[in-house]
Amino acid sequence: MIRITRTWRIGVAVTAASLSLAACGSSDNSGGGSSSGGGDCKEQNLAFLGALTGDAGALGVNMANGIQLAVDEYNKDAKCKVGFKKFDSQGSPDKAPALATQIVGDKTIVGLIGPGFSGESLATGKTFFESGLPSISPSATNVTITQQGWTTWHRVIGNDNAQGKADAKYLTETVGAKKVYVVDDAQDYSKGLATVVKDSLGAAAVGSDEIQVKQTDMSATVTKITAAGADAVFYGGYYTEAGLLVKQLRQAGWKGTFMSGDGAEDPSFVKVAGAAGDGAILSAPAAPAPADFASKVKEDTGNEAGLYTTQSYDAANIFLAALKAGKTEPKDINDFINSYSGDGVSGPISFDDKGDIKTSTIYAYMVKNGALDTENPTPIK
């Protein structure tokens, strides 16, 4: 049973209100953003928890941009404005719990978009569940998250089972790889995805290894890959280490196919890998942002739309639809999410009884001529 410890009331009459934005718990150490109207309106905010700085900060910035656009669009016509508070965990399961405590203690927060990563989701899920705060992650894919019984936790993206099986199939059937070496960085997301890939490869998996986050010398792993005669490598992890690994593989003369998952599907991978990134395949359970949507993001935030921007926008809009429908209690908002069915910018959205999205397509993005081609991915499932 969910222990409801928070009560929110949303009024119907309002004078003009302004939206104040800031990063709560982020690198600039400024106060949290909020919005409150006059009359009967009470302060109400959406929150984001995820990496805004650090090695994977680019992915969290993509998410925050999508939420920002949704909130700004909603506030143009809303009687009671909605604010947006950002909590920068740097994607760390060690830093996230303290921020989760801040979030559930803030009675103005009516919904959480996030957590952004799997490790921090597993580290904070119980806190959010016991507080009754509904959440929708745009990006956390570890399979075990929705096996914890946290009925307030949802995701608008396919999990690692879907992506890992599709990636293994792509490597063996489309690429034609015969010997695939699997590497991960030991984080919950990374290990979860890499394990599904390895298990799905069957006899084509010729070995596996583990590196550490922030590791820069990967020569030992490179030696194992070349000694195994691998014609392909799958890396489970994020773009910084992925870029370093492929760079050092190419420097060692390795000629095989390099593939990684959505944690590496960002232009930052190319910045790290340089020319060695050409030919890499980066999968994601996310389609490219439509051109008109990308233009709105650029105009509203000054930033380009990227991986998870559409999912974050859609997640925020589900919460905003609940508010518009007059849902004021956490249980009512959560029930609204559970029964939600609609077409978002990222595709059709509805949830199963565990909080997983029911339908998801996996895409393969290619790195060509020193750039990540984000406009022409190949659907692989």
Side-chain angles (χ1 to χ4, degrees):
M1 177 179 292
I2 303 173
R3 299 204 299 271
I4 303 300
T5 61
R6 301 143 57 94
T7 301
W8 299 304
R9 290 287 186 266
I10 300 172
V12 293
V14 64
T15 58
S18 61
L19 179 64
S20 170
L21 303 173
C24 183
S26 66
S27 58
D28 64 6
N29 295 316
S30 58
S34 65
S35 177
S36 60
D40 294 330
C41 282
K42 303 296 184 182
E43 182 180 348
Q44 52 190 358
N45 295 284
L46 294 180
F48 168 71
L49 173 62
L52 292 168
T53 59
D55 288 345
L59 298 176
V61 171
N62 290 345
M63 300 177 211
N65 288 336
I67 302 166
Q68 185 68 69
L69 176 60
V71 169
D72 288 346
E73 289 179 340
Y74 179 84
N75 284 338
K76 288 179 181 178
D77 301 314
K79 292 182 178 180
C80 292
K81 309 298 183 181
V82 174
F84 177 27
K85 294 188 175 185
K86 293 177 279 188
F87 296 79
D88 181 12
S89 65
Q90 295 188 323
S92 168
D94 297 324
K95 295 180 179 180
L99 297 175
T101 300
Q102 289 183 38
I103 292 169
V104 300
D106 185 340
K107 293 179 173 57
T108 71
I109 294 175
V110 299
L112 172 70
I113 295 91
F117 296 156
S118 294
E120 61 186 355
S121 294
L122 289 165
T124 60
K126 185 178 180 181
T127 298
F128 293 127
F129 169 64
E130 290 184 344
S131 76
L133 180 68
S135 65
I136 305 175
S137 176
S139 52
T141 56
N142 185 277
V143 175
T144 66
I145 301 172
T146 50
Q147 297 172 352
Q148 305 300 316
W150 299 328
T151 54
T152 56
W153 201 96
H154 314 79
R155 58 177 149 215
V156 288
I157 197 162
N159 64 28
D160 289 337
N161 269 342
Q163 186 176 186
K165 291 176 181 177
D167 289 349
K169 182 178 180 180
Y170 187 88
L171 282 169
T172 55
E173 296 186 8
T174 302
V175 174
K178 304 298 182 184
K179 296 181 178 182
V180 183
Y181 205 94
V182 180
V183 184
D184 68 74
D185 67 7
Q187 297 188 85
D188 289 306
Y189 153 73
S190 314
K191 199 168 192 67
L193 178 59
T195 298
V196 175
V197 171
K198 183 180 177 182
D199 292 346
S200 301
L201 285 168
V206 295
S208 62
D209 198 21
E210 186 176 282
I211 64 168
Q212 302 300 313
V213 176
K214 299 187 182 299
Q215 182 174 331
T216 56
D217 181 2
M218 302 181 186
S219 57
T221 298
V222 169
T223 298
K224 292 176 184 178
I225 291 169
T226 55
D231 56 1
V233 166
F234 181 86
Y235 176 71
Y238 294 96
Y239 54 77
T240 299
E241 288 77 20
L244 289 173
L245 178 57
V246 72
K247 188 173 186 178
Q248 292 178 35
L249 280 166
R250 299 304 184 205
Q251 289 172 343
W254 186 72
K255 305 294 185 183
T257 299
F258 183 88
M259 185 175 192
S260 189
D262 53 310
E265 200 277 283
D266 188 89
S268 296
F269 167 83
V270 182
K271 293 179 182 178
V272 176
D278 272 14
I281 304 159
L282 308 176
S283 70
D292 58 342
F293 173 79
S295 296
K296 291 179 182 178
V297 172
K298 180 68 173 179
E299 181 179 354
D300 186 75
T301 69
N303 297 312
E304 301 292 338
L307 183 65
Y308 307 134
T309 304
T310 57
Q311 283 78 15
S312 301
Y313 175 82
D314 289 342
N317 273 322
I318 294 173
F319 280 111
L320 295 170
L323 296 178
K324 189 174 182 179
K327 307 303 179 184
T328 61
E329 300 292 337
K331 182 181 184 304
D332 294 334
I333 295 172
N334 198 61
D335 288 344
F336 182 92
I337 296 170
N338 288 337
S339 62
Y340 182 85
S341 180
D343 290 325
V345 176
S346 63
I349 299 173
S350 60
F351 303 98
D352 65 18
D353 58 2
K354 291 183 178 181
D356 275 308
I357 193 170
K358 290 182 178 179
T359 303
S360 179
T361 302
I362 314 301
Y363 294 85
Y365 292 81
M366 303 294 296
V367 178
K368 302 176 181 178
N369 302 317
L372 175 62
D373 183 356
T374 58
E375 297 181 0
N376 304 289
T378 301
I380 55 178
K381 184 180 180 184

